Every structure is written in C-alpha cells, then in structure tokens.
Amino acid sequence: MANDFYWDELWYEVQELTGYLNIQDLHEWNRLETIIDGGIRNFYYPPPSSHSYGHAHIWSFLWPETADNLTIGEENFSLPEGSSSIGGQIMISDSGSYSPVRMVTQSRYRSLKVRDNDGKPMYFCVEADDQGDLQAKFYPTPDDTYEILFRYERAPRTKLTVEQEGTATVNVTGTEIAIEDTGAFTDTEVGDRARLTGNDIESGNVLLVKVTELKSDNEVVIEQEDLSDELSDGDSVEYKVYNEPEILGGSQHSETIRASCLAFAEKLVDEVPGQHWRWFAEIELPKSINRDKSLNKPRIISDDPTSKAREYYSDWDLRWQETDL
C-alpha cells in the first residue's frame, strides 16, 4: 500500500544532499534506502537527551494503549498485530473497578495451570503462537467477558518491502507507458514505487518510477513521459513494486523525522556529524520530545479516590515492572 506520509520528500531530499539525483545502479538505490531506514530508526530510538533527563526518550506512539475484551472460557488472547512486547501488567475491569493482572514467566504459568480453574484472571504470560505472533495466556481461565486495558510495544517496519515482482512487457501508446504482466498487479495501488531493470534499458540503468494508474490486474501505467527515450513498445523489463512502510508519529513529528534522515545522510557522506545533526539533536528532537510528553498525560481510570487504579498509567510505569516468578 502506498504511504502518503512524505516518504517521497525524504527520498528526494536525501537524493539532493547525497548527490544521487539520478539513480544509475543498485548501489545508489541501496545507499538511499539505507540512509532513510537509518534516519527513521534514529528518530524512533533517539540518543539520550537532556530533555529526557539523560535517558533515551521512548515515544508514546511506540507504546499505544488499547482496550479489548476477553472471551469466556478462552485462556489465549492475541496481541495486536506488530506487537513486540507488552507492559509489565494488564488492567482488568470487574464491575467498573480496575485491578492489575500480573505478568509471570511461562514456566510459572504452566505450574499455575496444573489447577485448571475458571474465574477472574490474576496472572498472564506472553508467548508466541504457531505463526510467531505474540499472545497473552491468562490464569484463571476467564469466566466472563472481562475488559482489559494495556500498553504494548510496536515493532515498526522501516524499509521498503517487495510487494510484487516479475517480468513485464512494455506497452507504449503515445506518451502513455504501461507495463503488462498477467494477473500480477492485484495488490498494486496508485503511488506505489517501482523499479525497472532489463536488457532493453540502456547500460543496465535502474529506472525508478511510480504507478500513476491502475488499468487492470494485468496492466499499470507508470510515470515520466521521458521514459519513451528508454523504453519502446514491446520491450521486456524486470520490475519490482515496493510497499512503503508506515511512518509512525504523525505529521506533528514530520520535521524531526526529516531532520533525522538528513543528519544520518550527512554522517554517512561526510563521516562526521555536522549542521544537520545539530539541527536534529538540538532543535527538532527536543521539540518533539516536549510535544510527546505534553500529549502523554497520566490517565485516571477510576472515580474511586481510594483506588490504586488512579495511579495507573502515571507516565510509563507499566513498561518497567518486573515479571513475577
């Protein structure tokens, strides 16, 4: 799926900074992809900052909060897609009052399951299912549709992934250039990035294009009228259509992400941090950290002033609680 969140801006700005304005080979393509990948990861997992008391800031959008319901008689609960871990406890609702479900080790969970009881869950462990996706396993087995509230860590993708690839025939009609491959473009969307190579492309150059129109599952139109200088009707090309990663953080952090990518490019090209790194670390990153902190206020989930649940989510306590043995 194409991503509208300024991926192209990152790509072209890094191109300009590095001088790779016309990608001629796979080395330059890979170099650009490495820079953008590194820049995004540098933003997701930033260096320690005085604005985070000398620690590396952890973004709230990488630890989203979610609420769901357990199923009666079902001990297994699938965590959201893309989860890499969970906070140190889960809060469970019983008649409007929240209480913690404690995380335990898998061995401790198995020892508890020797007594196969039903009731309000008090413990859980996390393990991977047969497909490698994370799930929480509760004990006792739920005897009701309890609501649970928790935070989990997202494992964001930062690289382009190949969505479709193959060999296609070029169809040139006037200034319109299309590539045809029977039944190959069922998942393609307008805006997807594509890479073309082949013997019919001069000197083995890499053509970087975008899909501008979906004619059918068999045929897509690609951008750039001047490709007619490179391609002729009936030419054969090898293509790869890429899926761009979702860039997390939203537009409120877009300038920081852009600054991080340029800083990463500068560091690789010049081999030393320079003005772009200072702009990222000293200007944009502190602004984003302060914005994230201001939006991540403690949440009160109980009206009972005597309830410890009022302290739930007082900043990031869930992430640091130790697993019970």
XYZ file of all heavy atoms in Angstrom, residues 4-85:
691
model
N 1.135 7.969 2.071
C 1.074 9.384 1.703
C 1.931 10.260 2.613
O 2.014 11.463 2.391
C -0.383 9.877 1.770
C -1.246 9.213 0.719
O -0.698 8.845 -0.334
O -2.452 9.059 0.953
N 2.528 9.684 3.649
C 3.196 10.493 4.660
C 4.647 10.774 4.272
O 5.564 10.138 4.727
C 3.111 9.785 6.019
C 3.698 10.596 7.151
C 3.387 11.926 7.312
C 4.563 10.009 8.042
C 3.924 12.657 8.345
C 5.100 10.738 9.091
C 4.776 12.063 9.235
N 4.824 11.715 3.356
C 6.080 12.353 2.978
C 7.261 11.423 2.750
O 8.412 11.817 2.874
C 6.462 13.454 3.986
C 6.761 12.989 5.399
C 8.002 12.456 5.741
C 5.809 13.092 6.391
C 8.274 12.042 7.018
C 6.082 12.681 7.676
C 7.313 12.162 7.981
O 7.581 11.750 9.263
N 7.054 10.155 2.369
C 8.177 9.292 2.017
C 8.938 9.878 0.826
O 10.167 9.888 0.802
C 7.691 7.875 1.705
C 8.798 6.936 1.365
C 9.352 6.729 0.140
C 9.525 6.092 2.258
N 10.369 5.811 0.214
C 10.487 5.406 1.502
C 9.436 5.852 3.635
C 11.369 4.495 2.080
C 10.300 4.942 4.192
C 11.264 4.275 3.416
N 8.197 10.373 -0.163
C 8.847 10.963 -1.335
C 9.709 12.157 -0.951
O 10.794 12.360 -1.497
C 7.808 11.401 -2.368
C 7.263 10.225 -3.153
O 7.901 9.161 -3.130
O 6.202 10.367 -3.771
N 9.217 12.959 -0.017
C 10.002 14.116 0.402
C 11.327 13.671 1.011
O 12.376 14.262 0.746
C 9.208 14.951 1.404
C 7.946 15.573 0.836
C 7.180 16.334 1.891
O 7.825 17.030 2.707
O 5.938 16.243 1.917
N 11.276 12.648 1.847
C 12.504 12.123 2.432
C 13.444 11.624 1.340
O 14.640 11.905 1.347
C 12.185 10.986 3.406
C 11.364 11.336 4.650
C 11.085 10.069 5.450
C 12.077 12.356 5.512
N 12.884 10.860 0.417
C 13.690 10.271 -0.659
C 14.386 11.355 -1.466
O 15.600 11.311 -1.690
C 12.789 9.415 -1.541
C 13.520 8.649 -2.603
C 13.865 9.093 -3.843
C 14.012 7.310 -2.521
N 14.521 8.108 -4.540
C 14.623 7.007 -3.750
C 13.972 6.345 -1.515
C 15.203 5.779 -4.007
C 14.544 5.108 -1.790
C 15.159 4.842 -3.012
N 13.635 12.362 -1.912
C 14.216 13.370 -2.802
C 15.153 14.321 -2.063
O 16.151 14.783 -2.629
C 13.095 14.139 -3.522
C 12.326 13.280 -4.493
C 10.949 13.159 -4.419
C 13.000 12.558 -5.486
C 10.251 12.343 -5.298
C 12.311 11.748 -6.370
C 10.939 11.651 -6.273
O 10.245 10.844 -7.148
N 14.858 14.618 -0.799
C 15.769 15.494 -0.058
C 17.094 14.800 0.220
O 18.156 15.417 0.163
C 15.112 15.946 1.250
C 13.999 16.961 1.025
C 13.527 17.572 2.315
O 14.333 17.724 3.241
O 12.329 17.906 2.404
N 17.042 13.509 0.533
C 18.276 12.758 0.729
C 19.025 12.624 -0.586
O 20.262 12.703 -0.628
C 17.970 11.373 1.339
C 19.213 10.492 1.336
C 17.455 11.523 2.762
N 18.296 12.443 -1.694
C 18.945 12.422 -3.008
C 19.744 13.700 -3.253
O 20.892 13.661 -3.704
C 17.893 12.277 -4.111
C 17.472 10.859 -4.425
C 16.579 10.812 -5.639
O 15.499 11.403 -5.649
N 17.018 10.120 -6.663
N 19.131 14.826 -2.951
C 19.797 16.110 -3.205
C 21.033 16.275 -2.323
O 22.078 16.743 -2.777
C 18.812 17.250 -2.952
C 19.385 18.621 -3.266
C 18.353 19.715 -3.148
O 17.167 19.407 -2.864
O 18.717 20.890 -3.329
N 20.920 15.856 -1.045
C 22.045 16.020 -0.133
C 23.214 15.113 -0.514
O 24.374 15.512 -0.424
C 21.597 15.719 1.299
C 22.645 15.943 2.396
C 23.010 17.419 2.494
C 22.136 15.440 3.743
N 22.901 13.891 -0.972
C 23.957 12.933 -1.296
C 24.486 13.085 -2.706
O 25.551 12.568 -3.039
C 23.443 11.493 -1.119
O 22.299 11.295 -1.951
C 23.087 11.221 0.325
N 23.729 13.768 -3.561
C 24.140 13.906 -4.957
C 23.654 12.775 -5.841
O 23.962 12.749 -7.045
N 22.889 11.837 -5.284
C 22.348 10.737 -6.091
C 21.042 11.192 -6.740
O 19.967 10.655 -6.479
C 22.090 9.508 -5.220
C 23.319 8.900 -4.590
C 23.220 8.143 -3.433
C 24.579 9.072 -5.160
C 24.343 7.572 -2.842
C 25.700 8.509 -4.572
C 25.577 7.764 -3.424
O 26.685 7.193 -2.844
N 21.134 12.170 -7.631
C 19.923 12.750 -8.209
C 19.316 11.857 -9.277
O 18.101 11.850 -9.472
C 20.235 14.140 -8.786
C 20.719 15.161 -7.750
C 21.004 16.506 -8.415
C 19.690 15.342 -6.642
N 20.147 11.130 -9.990
C 19.667 10.195 -10.997
C 20.225 8.821 -10.657
O 21.411 8.558 -10.855
C 20.115 10.607 -12.399
C 19.500 11.924 -12.829
O 18.299 12.069 -12.874
N 20.354 12.897 -13.126
N 19.371 7.972 -10.105
C 19.835 6.663 -9.665
C 20.234 5.836 -10.875
O 19.434 5.576 -11.760
C 18.744 5.955 -8.849
C 18.435 6.761 -7.590
C 19.163 4.541 -8.487
C 17.341 6.178 -6.748
N 21.503 5.447 -10.916
C 22.039 4.742 -12.061
C 22.290 3.261 -11.803
O 22.434 2.499 -12.735
C 23.354 5.406 -12.506
C 23.197 6.853 -12.943
C 22.344 6.981 -14.189
O 22.520 6.228 -15.140
N 21.403 7.907 -14.175
N 22.379 2.873 -10.569
C 22.662 1.463 -10.303
C 22.102 1.081 -8.937
O 21.626 1.916 -8.178
C 24.171 1.175 -10.365
C 24.980 2.066 -9.439
O 24.511 2.340 -8.314
O 26.077 2.486 -9.828
N 22.165 -0.206 -8.660
C 21.605 -0.712 -7.415
C 22.369 -0.213 -6.193
O 21.801 -0.115 -5.095
C 21.588 -2.238 -7.441
C 20.606 -2.882 -8.420
C 20.704 -4.395 -8.350
C 19.179 -2.437 -8.128
N 23.647 0.108 -6.366
C 24.424 0.627 -5.230
C 23.814 1.932 -4.738
O 23.653 2.138 -3.523
C 25.879 0.843 -5.648
C 26.675 1.610 -4.623
N 27.091 1.051 -3.423
C 27.105 2.907 -4.605
C 27.753 1.946 -2.726
N 27.775 3.087 -3.419
N 23.478 2.843 -5.652
C 22.910 4.123 -5.248
C 21.515 3.929 -4.658
O 21.145 4.596 -3.685
C 22.876 5.076 -6.444
C 24.273 5.475 -6.916
C 24.234 6.473 -8.052
O 23.117 6.820 -8.496
O 25.314 6.916 -8.487
N 20.724 3.030 -5.245
C 19.403 2.734 -4.697
C 19.532 2.242 -3.260
O 18.864 2.725 -2.359
C 18.715 1.681 -5.574
C 17.481 1.070 -4.958
C 17.443 0.115 -3.986
C 16.124 1.399 -5.254
N 16.140 -0.195 -3.675
C 15.311 0.573 -4.425
C 15.516 2.286 -6.137
C 13.926 0.615 -4.470
C 14.134 2.319 -6.169
C 13.353 1.513 -5.361
N 20.404 1.260 -3.057
C 20.575 0.683 -1.721
C 21.122 1.701 -0.732
O 20.789 1.678 0.463
C 21.500 -0.537 -1.792
C 20.861 -1.696 -2.532
O 19.648 -1.830 -2.564
N 21.680 -2.537 -3.147
N 21.992 2.582 -1.220
C 22.554 3.620 -0.354
C 21.457 4.558 0.149
O 21.384 4.868 1.339
C 23.597 4.412 -1.143
C 24.322 5.500 -0.353
C 25.410 4.923 0.494
N 26.359 5.959 0.917
C 27.338 5.747 1.762
N 27.521 4.542 2.262
N 28.157 6.720 2.108
N 20.583 4.977 -0.749
C 19.493 5.857 -0.354
C 18.542 5.160 0.612
O 18.114 5.743 1.614
C 18.718 6.322 -1.595
C 19.370 7.418 -2.433
C 18.556 7.648 -3.705
C 19.466 8.714 -1.649
N 18.224 3.917 0.323
C 17.311 3.188 1.195
C 17.919 2.997 2.583
O 17.221 3.106 3.602
C 16.965 1.834 0.575
C 15.857 1.117 1.317
C 15.451 -0.179 0.658
O 16.092 -0.575 -0.336
O 14.504 -0.805 1.138
N 19.231 2.736 2.637
C 19.916 2.577 3.919
C 19.865 3.868 4.731
O 19.657 3.844 5.957
C 21.376 2.162 3.693
O 21.406 0.876 3.058
C 22.139 2.084 5.006
N 20.038 5.001 4.068
C 20.027 6.291 4.759
C 18.650 6.582 5.340
O 18.526 6.980 6.515
C 20.467 7.416 3.803
C 21.964 7.297 3.503
C 20.140 8.783 4.390
C 22.450 8.229 2.417
N 17.607 6.386 4.539
C 16.260 6.678 5.034
C 15.875 5.712 6.145
O 15.299 6.111 7.163
C 15.252 6.635 3.870
C 15.565 7.754 2.878
C 13.822 6.783 4.399
C 14.684 7.749 1.652
N 16.210 4.448 5.968
C 15.968 3.453 7.013
C 16.674 3.859 8.314
O 16.082 3.851 9.394
C 16.454 2.081 6.534
C 16.517 1.057 7.662
O 15.517 0.870 8.361
O 17.595 0.447 7.835
N 17.953 4.238 8.210
C 18.709 4.643 9.392
C 18.169 5.909 10.022
O 18.140 6.042 11.255
N 17.735 6.848 9.188
C 17.199 8.096 9.715
C 15.904 7.904 10.476
O 15.696 8.503 11.536
N 15.024 7.056 9.947
C 13.763 6.793 10.634
C 14.016 6.063 11.950
O 13.430 6.388 12.984
C 12.810 5.999 9.721
C 12.435 6.832 8.493
C 11.549 5.604 10.486
C 11.624 6.081 7.466
N 14.909 5.061 11.921
C 15.223 4.330 13.159
C 15.894 5.248 14.176
O 15.685 5.116 15.388
C 16.109 3.125 12.848
C 15.363 1.964 12.222
C 16.214 0.717 12.100
N 17.259 0.875 11.094
C 18.532 1.040 11.359
N 18.955 1.086 12.609
N 19.407 1.160 10.375
N 16.700 6.190 13.698
C 17.359 7.149 14.583
C 16.339 8.026 15.292
O 16.550 8.456 16.437
C 18.323 8.019 13.774
C 19.235 8.852 14.646
O 19.922 8.327 15.504
N 19.244 10.156 14.411
N 15.213 8.293 14.621
C 14.128 9.035 15.257
C 13.351 8.153 16.217
O 13.044 8.558 17.350
C 13.180 9.590 14.192
C 11.867 10.064 14.757
C 11.794 11.213 15.519
C 10.700 9.340 14.534
C 10.578 11.636 16.062
C 9.490 9.749 15.063
C 9.429 10.909 15.818
N 13.019 6.922 15.809
C 12.262 6.026 16.674
C 12.997 5.738 17.980
O 12.385 5.632 19.040
C 11.992 4.695 15.966
C 10.929 4.733 14.889
C 10.874 3.749 13.915
C 9.965 5.739 14.854
C 9.899 3.761 12.929
C 9.003 5.771 13.870
C 8.967 4.771 12.907
O 8.000 4.789 11.939
N 14.308 5.566 17.887
C 15.121 5.207 19.052
C 16.234 6.247 19.197
O 17.390 5.988 18.870
C 15.676 3.797 18.888
C 14.591 2.799 18.517
C 14.484 2.312 17.215
C 13.661 2.382 19.465
C 13.478 1.419 16.873
C 12.651 1.495 19.125
C 12.559 1.019 17.827
O 11.563 0.144 17.489
N 15.894 7.456 19.667
C 16.834 8.577 19.659
C 17.923 8.433 20.714
O 17.795 7.650 21.663
C 15.933 9.776 19.967
C 14.835 9.198 20.803
C 14.584 7.825 20.230
N 18.975 9.209 20.553
C 20.046 9.205 21.564
C 19.577 9.866 22.848
O 18.593 10.614 22.852
C 21.151 10.025 20.881
C 20.425 10.918 19.929
C 19.269 10.122 19.427
N 20.268 9.615 23.962
C 19.905 10.273 25.227
C 19.905 11.785 25.072
O 20.700 12.354 24.307
C 20.993 9.802 26.191
C 21.471 8.504 25.621
C 21.386 8.672 24.129
N 19.017 12.428 25.812
C 18.854 13.871 25.691
C 18.647 14.472 27.069
O 18.077 13.841 27.970
C 17.647 14.196 24.792
O 17.269 15.541 24.904
N 19.112 15.714 27.230
C 18.877 16.426 28.489
C 17.389 16.659 28.707
O 16.924 16.815 29.831
C 19.616 17.761 28.483
O 19.184 18.571 27.401
N 16.630 16.651 27.602
C 15.178 16.845 27.710
C 14.479 15.587 28.218
O 13.295 15.628 28.527
C 14.603 17.254 26.353
C 15.024 18.626 25.932
N 14.228 19.728 26.096
C 16.176 19.069 25.372
C 14.864 20.807 25.652
N 16.047 20.430 25.199
N 15.188 14.478 28.264
C 14.636 13.243 28.852
C 15.530 12.784 29.997
O 15.725 11.590 30.202
C 14.502 12.147 27.789
O 15.715 11.968 27.085
N 16.117 13.772 30.695
C 16.911 13.538 31.907
C 18.081 12.580 31.658
O 18.409 11.733 32.485
C 16.018 12.994 33.028
C 14.828 13.877 33.314
C 13.572 13.546 32.823
C 14.970 15.060 34.041
C 12.478 14.365 33.054
C 13.883 15.884 34.281
C 12.640 15.542 33.795
O 11.561 16.367 34.012
N 18.708 12.733 30.505
C 19.878 11.929 30.191
C 19.564 10.540 29.699
O 20.481 9.760 29.422
N 18.274 10.207 29.564
C 17.874 8.911 29.054
C 17.343 9.074 27.628
O 16.967 10.170 27.213
C 16.799 8.278 29.935
C 17.233 8.051 31.348
N 18.090 7.029 31.701
C 16.941 8.713 32.496
C 18.299 7.064 33.003
N 17.625 8.079 33.512
N 17.317 7.969 26.900
C 16.722 7.995 25.574
C 15.209 8.047 25.719
O 14.619 7.243 26.440
C 17.144 6.753 24.780
N 14.579 9.006 25.061
C 13.125 9.157 25.147
C 12.443 7.976 24.460
O 12.902 7.475 23.438
C 12.686 10.454 24.473
C 11.217 10.691 24.559
N 10.571 10.963 25.746
C 10.246 10.669 23.596
C 9.288 11.122 25.521
N 9.058 10.945 24.225
N 11.347 7.509 25.048
C 10.543 6.445 24.461
C 9.209 7.044 24.056
O 8.459 7.561 24.891
C 10.343 5.286 25.455
C 11.700 4.716 25.863
C 9.472 4.192 24.853
C 11.638 3.605 26.882
N 8.900 6.979 22.772
C 7.729 7.653 22.221
C 6.445 6.942 22.631
O 6.358 5.718 22.626
C 7.817 7.704 20.699
C 9.051 8.367 20.188
C 10.126 7.765 19.630
C 9.327 9.776 20.184
N 11.072 8.697 19.287
C 10.612 9.947 19.607
C 8.624 10.905 20.610
C 11.188 11.199 19.448
C 9.213 12.149 20.446
C 10.483 12.285 19.878
N 5.432 7.735 22.938
C 4.147 7.157 23.317
C 3.514 6.395 22.163
O 2.813 5.400 22.372
C 3.196 8.262 23.796
O 2.980 9.222 22.776
N 3.769 6.830 20.910
C 3.140 6.145 19.780
C 3.778 4.780 19.505
O 3.226 3.986 18.741
C 3.177 7.013 18.510
C 4.547 7.463 18.098
C 5.405 6.629 17.413
C 4.973 8.753 18.383
C 6.676 7.044 17.030
C 6.230 9.182 18.009
C 7.090 8.326 17.336
N 4.949 4.508 20.097
C 5.518 3.167 20.001
C 4.995 2.260 21.111
O 5.272 1.053 21.103
C 7.051 3.227 20.053
C 7.748 3.834 18.839
C 9.264 3.765 19.011
C 7.322 3.145 17.552
N 4.269 2.849 22.086
C 3.653 2.075 23.159
C 2.182 2.469 23.257
O 1.751 3.069 24.242
C 4.355 2.337 24.491
C 5.644 1.598 24.655
C 6.876 1.976 24.217
C 5.816 0.343 25.302
N 7.811 1.038 24.551
C 7.196 0.024 25.221
C 4.957 -0.539 25.952
C 7.728 -1.149 25.758
C 5.480 -1.706 26.491
C 6.857 -2.003 26.394
N 1.385 2.152 22.250
C -0.017 2.583 22.267
C -0.834 1.841 23.322
O -0.521 0.714 23.694
C -0.512 2.249 20.858
C 0.372 1.129 20.412
C 1.719 1.411 21.017
N -1.869 2.504 23.769
C -2.799 1.919 24.729
C -3.962 1.299 23.965
O -4.433 1.851 22.966
C -3.308 3.014 25.654
C -4.408 2.594 26.611
C -4.964 3.792 27.350
O -4.159 4.573 27.908
O -6.196 3.968 27.350
N -4.426 0.161 24.420
C -5.563 -0.478 23.763
C -6.460 -1.126 24.801
O -6.005 -1.516 25.880
C -5.093 -1.530 22.731
O -6.217 -2.005 21.991
C -4.410 -2.703 23.408
N -7.733 -1.217 24.478
C -8.712 -1.890 25.329
C -9.391 -2.978 24.515
O -9.631 -2.817 23.312
C -9.749 -0.901 25.853
N -9.687 -4.091 25.150
C -10.338 -5.207 24.468
C -11.062 -6.046 25.514
O -10.973 -5.768 26.719
C -9.311 -6.043 23.715
C -9.895 -6.695 22.468
O -11.091 -7.061 22.506
O -9.159 -6.848 21.476
N -11.766 -7.063 25.029
C -12.492 -7.947 25.932
C -11.969 -9.366 25.818
O -11.646 -9.835 24.716
C -13.990 -7.948 25.611
C -14.652 -6.623 25.947
O -14.367 -6.030 26.984
N -15.532 -6.159 25.072
N -11.864 -10.035 26.957
C -11.522 -11.448 26.964
C -12.762 -12.271 26.627
O -13.897 -11.820 26.826
C -10.977 -11.864 28.331
C -9.710 -11.138 28.804
C -9.284 -11.667 30.169
C -8.576 -11.313 27.799
N -12.542 -13.471 26.121
C -13.630 -14.374 25.770
C -13.822 -15.414 26.869
O -12.848 -15.989 27.367
C -13.327 -15.085 24.438
O -13.140 -14.093 23.417
C -14.468 -16.013 24.036
N -15.067 -15.641 27.241
C -15.367 -16.631 28.275
C -14.809 -18.000 27.859
O -15.022 -18.458 26.735
C -16.886 -16.743 28.505
C -17.442 -15.417 29.024
C -17.215 -17.863 29.487
C -18.951 -15.411 29.182
N -14.064 -18.613 28.763
C -13.543 -19.945 28.522
C -12.324 -20.012 27.630
O -11.835 -21.103 27.332
N -11.781 -18.851 27.227
C -10.616 -18.829 26.337
C -9.436 -18.200 27.061
O -9.452 -17.019 27.376
C -10.942 -18.040 25.065
C -9.791 -17.934 24.084
C -9.283 -19.283 23.619
O -10.072 -20.049 23.037
O -8.095 -19.575 23.877
N -8.415 -19.007 27.306
C -7.247 -18.504 28.042
C -6.305 -17.706 27.168
O -5.536 -16.879 27.666
C -6.480 -19.675 28.658
C -5.842 -20.617 27.646
C -5.199 -21.829 28.289
O -5.915 -22.619 28.912
O -3.975 -21.945 28.169
N -6.312 -17.928 25.842
C -5.382 -17.262 24.925
C -5.992 -15.980 24.375
O -7.165 -15.957 23.972
C -5.020 -18.190 23.768
C -4.310 -19.444 24.228
O -3.655 -19.439 25.273
N -4.433 -20.520 23.474
N -5.194 -14.926 24.345
C -5.621 -13.636 23.811
C -4.538 -13.134 22.862
O -3.393 -12.943 23.263
C -5.848 -12.630 24.944
C -6.131 -11.227 24.475
C -7.402 -10.858 24.067
C -5.107 -10.280 24.424
C -7.667 -9.567 23.631
C -5.357 -8.992 23.990
C -6.637 -8.636 23.589
N -4.877 -12.932 21.595
C -3.903 -12.482 20.593
C -3.616 -10.997 20.765
O -4.544 -10.176 20.773
C -4.429 -12.746 19.178
O -4.580 -14.137 18.950
N -2.338 -10.665 20.891
C -1.947 -9.261 20.992
C -2.056 -8.599 19.626
O -2.051 -9.268 18.594
C -0.522 -9.159 21.531
C -0.305 -9.704 22.942
C 1.138 -9.509 23.376
C -1.243 -9.039 23.929
N -2.165 -7.264 19.574
C -2.304 -6.571 18.294
C -1.178 -6.916 17.327
O -0.044 -7.187 17.727
C -2.264 -5.087 18.698
C -2.758 -5.074 20.108
C -2.239 -6.338 20.724
N -1.504 -6.902 16.046
C -0.517 -7.217 15.017
C 0.670 -6.262 15.114
O 0.504 -5.055 15.284
C -1.159 -7.095 13.631
C -0.248 -7.466 12.486
C -0.934 -7.362 11.139
O -2.142 -7.030 11.118
O -0.274 -7.609 10.110
N 1.860 -6.800 15.003
C 3.059 -5.977 15.085
C 3.574 -5.776 16.492
O 4.535 -5.032 16.689
N 2.966 -6.425 17.487
C 3.438 -6.285 18.868
C 4.786 -6.982 19.036
O 5.001 -8.070 18.505
C 2.441 -6.911 19.848
O 1.168 -6.319 19.734
N 5.678 -6.355 19.792
C 6.955 -6.994 20.107
C 7.089 -7.289 21.595
O 7.914 -8.104 21.993
C 8.124 -6.113 19.660
O 8.113 -4.876 20.340
N 6.279 -6.630 22.422
C 6.264 -6.902 23.863
C 5.050 -6.204 24.457
O 4.312 -5.501 23.757
C 7.555 -6.414 24.539
O 7.685 -5.010 24.414
